[in-house]
Amino acid sequence: MINLLIDKIKEQNSPIVVGLDPKVEFLPECVREKAFKDFGHSSKAIGEAFYEFNKGIIDHIYDVVPSVKPQIAMYEQYGIEGLIAYKKTVDYAKSKGLVVIGDIKRGDIASTAEAYAVGHLGQVTIEGNTERGFDSDFITINPYMGYDTIKPFLDVCKEENRGLFVLVKTSNPSSGDFQDLKVGDDFLYERVAMKVDEWGQEHMGQEYSYVGAVVGATYPEVGKRLRELMPKTYFLVPGYGAQGGKAEDMAHYFNKDGLGAIINSSRGIIAAHKNPKYEQFKNEGFAMASRQAVLDMKKELEEALR
Amino acid sequence: MINLLIDKIKEQNSPIVVGLDPKVEFLPECVREKAFKDFGHSSKAIGEAFYEFNKGIIDHIYDVVPSVKPQIAMYEQYGIEGLIAYKKTVDYAKSKGLVVIGDIKRGDIASTAEAYAVGHLGQVTIEGNTERGFDSDFITINPYMGYDTIKPFLDVCKEENRGLFVLVKTSNPSSGDFQDLKVGDDFLYERVAMKVDEWGQEHMGQEYSYVGAVVGATYPEVGKRLRELMPKTYFLVPGYGAQGGKAEDMAHYFNKDGLGAIINSSRGIIAAHKNPKYEQFKNEGFAMASRQAVLDMKKELEEALR
């Protein structure tokens, strides 16, 4: 799966992942009103609207980005109906050939981690019948509980040819509260990075490992240091655009081969139709606005990485 | 909600939380076969079986324990149908007066954390209509990403009079990989504990704070140290029984007032009917086995804490 992701990045020359993190205020009026008309002012309506919104965007971007990253919390917030929309979004994105990164940030002790791994990357067997819960290609996971909570995810990844992105240094302002604590001469995030590098050696693809790292766009100097510490690790880089990450800093996150990072943008792409810059695409044209925003981001990155 | 939890613990003299973490192999034959007959070999059958199993147990323990803790991963593994069973379990437990601790170990950047908080402790508003996704009283959360990822949970807790248990020192063997790293003279888990104590001061109940801590039963010396560092923090203590935590060590986790900790047992209670010790209650009597296992655990703890 990491090989496929890299092939698609090369083919499209597009190290971009689009965060499918819908909010009600991002919905164009046409999508919102249709859902309310069909299902009332209910979570079912929101779920339907989120899915229609995502579907429109996917249809207009699947040939210019390799990957999407739905943030499960935005769906989980609306309970079961929201999670149905999450599942449908994952399945639809895969049907269009996109690599799906489920942004779920799970983590728990062994048997529980195994359940999450099976639910999001694997399959359950019920008296010989198999079913897949949420069928993503990669998921994000939290390392705080240590190796035996990572191992079950690794095992399922090996079986299923899927991958992980482990939180190392996150993009938020308080990420330093614990991640930046000094452990001997290292920052905690460096210690986590060394472990991610080690875990990744257990499951290598062609050039990069199946165990990636989440490294926030908002700390480019840290990105540079982590690039050295984890040469074979793909970086998932959140925090570009709305959170403050700048194109000119993104070079730090890449290796000399031009690979090694995939930059996430969510609001900047999916809510582009609300941006005066893309006014010609507003309301029904929302998905065209997302496509244009992707093409603009691609250009920005190309220039910055040249 | 922390006040209610403490009142119930005092009233029942039972500092016990039952982990509702069903697995197919824990199901009594009668429950499993009925579900397969009604719904085939499908995740819907498993969801139904999990719910019927939990309901039976809840009916037989709600007057002898204050609280239950469903582990969402065991349900999420079976996708949407599993999560429907999780939701129904939470709702049913609340209808019987139990305090529900959703063991979800979520954590993410601000707006995303807010979505999790709303989905599990709060409510969404859809054009004036409100709905609750997964309506638990407490949830467990992961601190690795720092304060701004905790704050949205705190805000919803204040509004809704609900609470949190933050992972501090977990019960698993590799918990030390990061949690035991030395930061200056402290272990990382001590630094996290100091923060939990500080965050708790923002949201105090009568004697204890609404911000609890997860402290594993398997490291009693650590429990003792953390008890000193977080005097006003309620401890959720997993790892009792099957994972190795012993009754005689539990005194370390309590304050002089006899309060301050709630000990979780999952397998030991819910799979008691598979234990030769409770053979008289096997199959249809599964819930009576759970009740007896709770009463035995209560006695064990009483003796150990005397």
Side-chain angles (χ1 to χ4, degrees):
Chain A
M1 196 45 71
I2 185 71
N3 301 333
L4 175 67
L5 178 64
I6 293 171
D7 286 348
K8 285 182 71 81
I9 290 172
K10 284 180 183 167
E11 186 190 304
Q12 296 176 338
N13 190 26
S14 179
I16 295 176
V17 51
V18 173
L20 296 176
D21 312 347
K23 293 185 179 187
V24 172
E25 62 262 37
F26 294 170
L27 295 172
E29 208 188 312
C30 57
V31 170
R32 199 180 56 227
E33 293 311 316
K34 182 173 186 314
F36 286 155
K37 192 166 156 273
D38 291 349
F39 302 103
H41 295 152
S42 65
S43 57
K44 189 169 174 65
I46 301 294
E48 278 294 320
F50 280 6
Y51 176 60
E52 287 303 320
F53 180 57
N54 290 340
K55 196 161 165 287
I57 294 171
I58 290 167
D59 283 340
H60 286 77
I61 62 168
Y62 74 92
D63 59 328
V64 288
V65 290
S67 180
V68 291
K69 179 175 78 60
Q71 166 52 262
I72 200 170
M74 307 323 286
Y75 305 84
E76 202 167 310
Q77 176 173 22
Y78 291 94
I80 299 294
E81 295 295 343
L83 287 160
I84 290 172
Y86 176 80
K87 181 181 169 64
K88 285 164 66 182
T89 297
V90 170
D91 291 345
Y92 189 71
K94 281 172 72 101
S95 80
K96 300 300 277 187
L98 288 160
V99 173
V100 177
I101 303 171
D103 197 354
I104 65 172
K105 297 189 178 66
R106 302 302 194 244
D108 213 305
I109 64 166
S111 59
T112 311
E114 193 191 330
Y116 280 131
V118 162
H120 290 274
L121 299 169
Q123 50 196 321
V124 287
T125 305
I126 304 153
E127 304 284 308
N129 284 345
T130 56
E131 286 188 34
R132 289 184 181 272
F134 303 98
D135 190 15
S136 37
D137 299 307
F138 287 82
I139 54 170
T140 55
I141 62 171
N142 187 311
Y144 183 68
M145 298 175 73
Y147 178 68
D148 62 16
T149 71
I150 307 292
K151 179 76 167 52
F153 288 105
L154 272 178
D155 290 344
V156 172
C157 283
K158 281 182 198 170
E159 234 166 75
E160 300 274 350
N161 190 31
R162 308 214 173 180
L164 304 170
F165 288 99
V166 182
L167 300 185
V168 174
K169 172 69 181 174
T170 56
S171 58
N172 56 310
S174 305
S175 67
D177 280 359
F178 302 118
Q179 297 165 26
D180 291 3
L181 290 176
K182 272 283 190 179
V183 179
D185 291 335
D186 304 316
F187 292 107
L188 176 59
Y189 63 75
E190 293 177 299
R191 291 296 183 98
V192 177
M194 293 170 207
K195 287 286 184 189
V196 167
D197 182 68
E198 188 186 313
W199 301 334
Q201 287 164 24
E202 287 185 32
H203 190 23
M204 280 298 296
Q206 275 159 22
E207 305 155 87
Y208 286 89
S209 135
Y210 279 74
V211 185
V214 175
V215 182
T218 42
Y219 301 98
E221 286 309 311
V222 173
K224 200 171 169 178
R225 169 69 182 139
L226 292 175
R227 193 61 285 168
E228 293 163 14
L229 279 177
M230 298 182 280
K232 297 285 180 199
T233 303
Y234 233 84
F235 289 5
L236 169 63
V237 185
Y240 184 86
Q243 280 183 59
K246 293 185 181 60
E248 57 266 34
D249 293 327
M250 291 307 103
H252 293 326
Y253 296 79
F254 288 83
N255 275 321
K256 296 254 182 302
D257 59 6
L259 296 170
I262 184 157
I263 315 293
N264 180 76
S265 177
S266 301
R267 209 178 323 169
I269 308 287
I270 68 171
H273 66 105
K274 301 269 182 188
N275 183 340
K277 186 177 168 189
Y278 301 111
E279 213 193 358
Q280 77 267 37
F281 302 121
K282 70 185 173 191
N283 205 11
E284 283 89 349
F286 71 95
M288 278 302 295
S290 295
R291 182 182 179 84
Q292 193 53 53
V294 165
L295 296 174
D296 291 348
M297 178 175 169
K298 211 174 134 181
K299 215 165 128 194
E300 262 169 48
L301 284 175
E302 260 172 43
E303 280 167 17
L305 298 174
R306 196 171 291 148
Chain B
M1 196 45 70
I2 186 70
N3 301 332
L4 175 67
L5 178 64
I6 293 171
D7 287 348
K8 285 181 72 80
I9 290 172
K10 284 180 183 168
E11 186 189 304
Q12 297 176 339
N13 190 26
S14 179
I16 296 175
V17 50
V18 173
L20 296 176
D21 312 347
K23 292 185 178 187
V24 171
E25 61 262 37
F26 294 170
L27 295 173
E29 209 188 311
C30 56
V31 170
R32 198 180 57 226
E33 293 310 316
K34 182 173 185 313
F36 285 156
K37 193 167 155 271
D38 291 350
F39 302 103
H41 295 152
S42 65
S43 58
K44 188 169 174 66
I46 301 294
E48 278 295 319
F50 280 5
Y51 176 61
E52 287 303 320
F53 180 57
N54 290 340
K55 196 161 165 286
I57 293 171
I58 289 168
D59 283 339
H60 286 76
I61 61 167
Y62 74 92
D63 59 328
V64 287
V65 290
S67 180
V68 291
K69 179 174 78 61
Q71 165 53 261
I72 199 169
M74 307 323 285
Y75 305 84
E76 202 167 310
Q77 178 174 21
Y78 291 93
I80 298 295
E81 295 296 342
L83 287 161
I84 290 172
Y86 175 80
K87 181 182 170 64
K88 284 164 67 182
T89 297
V90 170
D91 291 345
Y92 188 71
K94 282 174 71 100
S95 79
K96 301 300 276 186
L98 288 159
V99 173
V100 177
I101 303 171
D103 198 354
I104 65 172
K105 297 190 177 67
R106 302 301 194 244
D108 213 306
I109 64 165
S111 59
T112 312
E114 194 191 330
Y116 280 130
V118 162
H120 289 274
L121 300 168
Q123 51 195 323
V124 287
T125 305
I126 304 152
E127 303 284 307
N129 284 344
T130 57
E131 285 188 35
R132 288 183 182 273
F134 304 99
D135 190 15
S136 37
D137 299 307
F138 287 81
I139 55 170
T140 54
I141 62 172
N142 188 311
Y144 183 68
M145 297 174 73
Y147 178 68
D148 63 17
T149 71
I150 307 292
K151 179 75 167 51
F153 288 105
L154 272 178
D155 290 344
V156 172
C157 283
K158 282 182 197 170
E159 235 166 75
E160 299 275 349
N161 189 31
R162 308 216 173 178
L164 304 170
F165 289 99
V166 182
L167 301 186
V168 175
K169 172 69 180 174
T170 55
S171 58
N172 56 309
S174 304
S175 66
D177 280 359
F178 303 118
Q179 297 164 27
D180 291 2
L181 290 176
K182 273 282 191 178
V183 179
D185 291 334
D186 305 314
F187 292 108
L188 176 60
Y189 62 75
E190 294 178 299
R191 291 296 182 97
V192 176
M194 292 171 207
K195 287 286 185 187
V196 168
D197 182 69
E198 188 186 312
W199 301 334
Q201 287 163 24
E202 286 185 33
H203 190 23
M204 280 297 297
Q206 275 158 22
E207 305 155 86
Y208 286 90
S209 133
Y210 278 74
V211 185
V214 174
V215 182
T218 43
Y219 302 98
E221 287 308 311
V222 173
K224 201 172 169 178
R225 170 67 182 141
L226 291 175
R227 192 63 283 170
E228 292 163 15
L229 279 177
M230 298 182 279
K232 297 285 181 199
T233 303
Y234 233 84
F235 288 6
L236 169 64
V237 184
Y240 184 87
Q243 279 183 60
K246 293 186 181 62
E248 57 266 33
D249 293 328
M250 291 306 105
H252 293 327
Y253 297 78
F254 287 83
N255 275 321
K256 295 254 183 302
D257 59 6
L259 297 170
I262 185 157
I263 315 293
N264 181 75
S265 177
S266 301
R267 209 179 323 169
I269 309 286
I270 68 171
H273 66 106
K274 301 269 183 189
N275 182 340
K277 187 177 167 189
Y278 302 110
E279 213 193 355
Q280 78 267 39
F281 302 121
K282 70 185 175 195
N283 206 10
E284 284 89 349
F286 72 94
M288 279 301 294
S290 295
R291 182 182 180 85
Q292 192 53 52
V294 164
L295 296 174
D296 290 349
M297 178 175 169
K298 211 176 136 181
K299 215 166 129 193
E300 261 169 48
L301 284 175
E302 260 172 44
E303 280 166 18
L305 297 175
R306 196 172 290 149

